[in-house]
Amino acid sequence: MGRETSLDPQLIQSCGDVYRNPTEVQMSQIVLPCHANHCGELSVGQLLKWMDSTACLSAERHAGCSCVTASVDDIHFEHTIGVGKVVSIIAKVNRAFTSSMEVGILVTCEDLYTDRHWKVCHAFATFVARRTEAGKVQLKQVIPHTQKEQMEYSLAAERRRMRLIHAEIITDLLNSSTEFEDSVLAERTRVESVELVLPPHTNHQVSTFGGQIMAWMENVATIAARYAFSIHGF
Ligand SMILES: CC(=O)SCCNC(=O)CCNC(=O)[C@H](O)C(C)(C)COP(=O)(O)OP(=O)(O)OC[C@H]1O[C@@H](n2cnc3c(N)ncnc32)[C@H](O)[C@@H]1OP(=O)(O)O
């Protein structure tokens, strides 16, 4: 069976005779039972950890210093991924601003036995180079080489503008003390989790990496959603 995606060939090229973006980082993982959720599918938290790690390496390759995850844009997962499938993640820096940069992350899945490939999601994360004693880091600019890179470079500026506005709107919403009619329901779905940060939760910078935090968030969100479903009798 043929490939089901129309991935950008420049994104999936891996060897030297064709142009390869110098910030590109690829990683592949086979999904094991220890990566799965209660439905036997790859847990979103685990996938977010892999995406964050891959994107962080790409950002650090460009920055040449240690970077932190500042934000990850909305992600729409198009498919679930079962145990035994191979997940491939490709990350590359689309554009650097002052100390921040946008990293594009493409996740695909492969069934080794049938040679089927499909796209799982496409995400954008912002990484920031850690301040040094000298102050804020000034990143070198990304120079787009292909038409696709040029397009991502241009779009990255617009996406940055949108995400900074979005962050302000969310902050305003959280600060406004609106009483919602379904506040009783919201309280009944409330889940709180306290996590002790242990060595397996940290990254190469020995700090809790962004993907781990997203994995914890996804876990409590899943439980809260299940409470909401049970309240509504599903
Ligand atoms: C490897 C890891 O994953 S580490 C663990 C997870 N991540 C973290 O712990 C990050 C914790 N957060 C932080 O350290 C800080 O909030 C930072 C570094 C993200 C931002 O710090 P600030 O004090 O706001 O710094 P400052 O105002 O100088 O902004 C730095 C850059 O971040 C950008 N930025 C800040 N917040 C956001 C955001 N929510 N989304 C996108 N970009 C952002 C700014 O636009 C700025 O970009 P520029 O330098 O290119 O103009």
Side-chain angles (χ1 to χ4, degrees):
M1 199 178 291
R3 293 178 181 231
E4 293 186 353
T5 50
S6 55
L7 303 178
D8 173 14
Q10 280 156 344
L11 264 181
I12 55 175
Q13 277 158 3
S14 58
C15 6
D17 55 337
V18 199
Y19 166 72
R20 183 177 168 186
N21 186 303
T23 68
E24 185 181 300
V25 173
Q26 300 192 21
M27 77 105 120
S28 291
Q29 290 275 354
I30 187 150
V31 179
L32 301 174
C34 63
H35 302 133
N37 59 20
H38 58 290
C39 299
E41 289 154 355
L42 174 63
S43 86
V44 170
Q46 180 61 67
L47 180 57
L48 291 170
K49 282 198 242 179
W50 288 336
M51 289 166 69
D52 183 60
S53 306
T54 313
C56 184
L57 295 186
S58 173
E60 292 190 342
R61 182 177 275 172
H62 180 74
C65 62
S66 103
C67 298
V68 294
T69 321
S71 68
V72 180
D73 296 358
D74 298 348
I75 309 177
H76 303 272
F77 296 102
E78 295 173 27
H79 299 278
T80 55
I81 305 170
V83 170
K85 302 289 185 295
V86 174
V87 177
S88 294
I89 302 171
I90 302 174
K92 69 175 183 66
V93 177
N94 289 331
R95 185 163 181 160
F97 300 97
T98 305
S99 65
S100 69
M101 64 213 111
E102 182 189 271
V103 181
I105 309 161
L106 177 67
V107 182
T108 58
C109 187
E110 177 181 359
D111 184 327
L112 289 176
Y113 302 139
T114 62
D115 194 32
R116 280 179 62 235
H117 294 242
W118 58 95
K119 181 180 150 194
V120 175
C121 68
H122 195 184
F124 299 99
T126 302
F127 281 79
V128 177
R130 281 185 195 267
R131 282 175 187 269
T132 63
E133 282 176 7
K136 192 165 166 163
V137 170
Q138 170 74 60
L139 293 167
K140 64 176 183 282
Q141 290 309 298
V142 167
I143 298 164
H145 282 95
T146 66
Q147 215 176 356
K148 170 88 175 151
E149 284 178 8
Q150 180 62 57
M151 190 181 72
E152 290 297 352
Y153 182 87
S154 304
L155 289 173
E158 185 57 18
R159 283 190 292 255
R160 178 177 194 261
R161 197 180 66 78
M162 303 285 287
R163 70 175 66 94
L164 293 178
I165 292 172
H166 185 253
E168 276 177 29
I169 293 170
I170 295 293
T171 307
D172 288 349
L173 275 175
L174 291 174
N175 289 338
S176 62
S177 55
T178 315
E179 288 287 334
F180 295 105
E181 282 178 13
D182 60 351
S183 57
V184 175
L185 170 64
E187 185 54 36
R188 285 171 64 193
T189 64
R190 188 169 184 274
V191 179
E192 191 173 316
S193 152
V194 177
E195 306 288 346
L196 176 65
V197 178
L198 298 171
H201 302 134
T202 60
N203 59 15
H204 54 297
Q205 302 162 10
V206 201
S207 63
T208 318
F209 69 100
Q212 178 62 62
I213 295 167
M214 289 190 281
W216 285 331
M217 290 164 70
E218 191 269 338
N219 206 27
V220 286
T222 302
I223 300 169
R226 287 175 74 87
Y227 282 149
F229 282 143
S230 65
I231 288 166
H232 287 286
F234 294 116

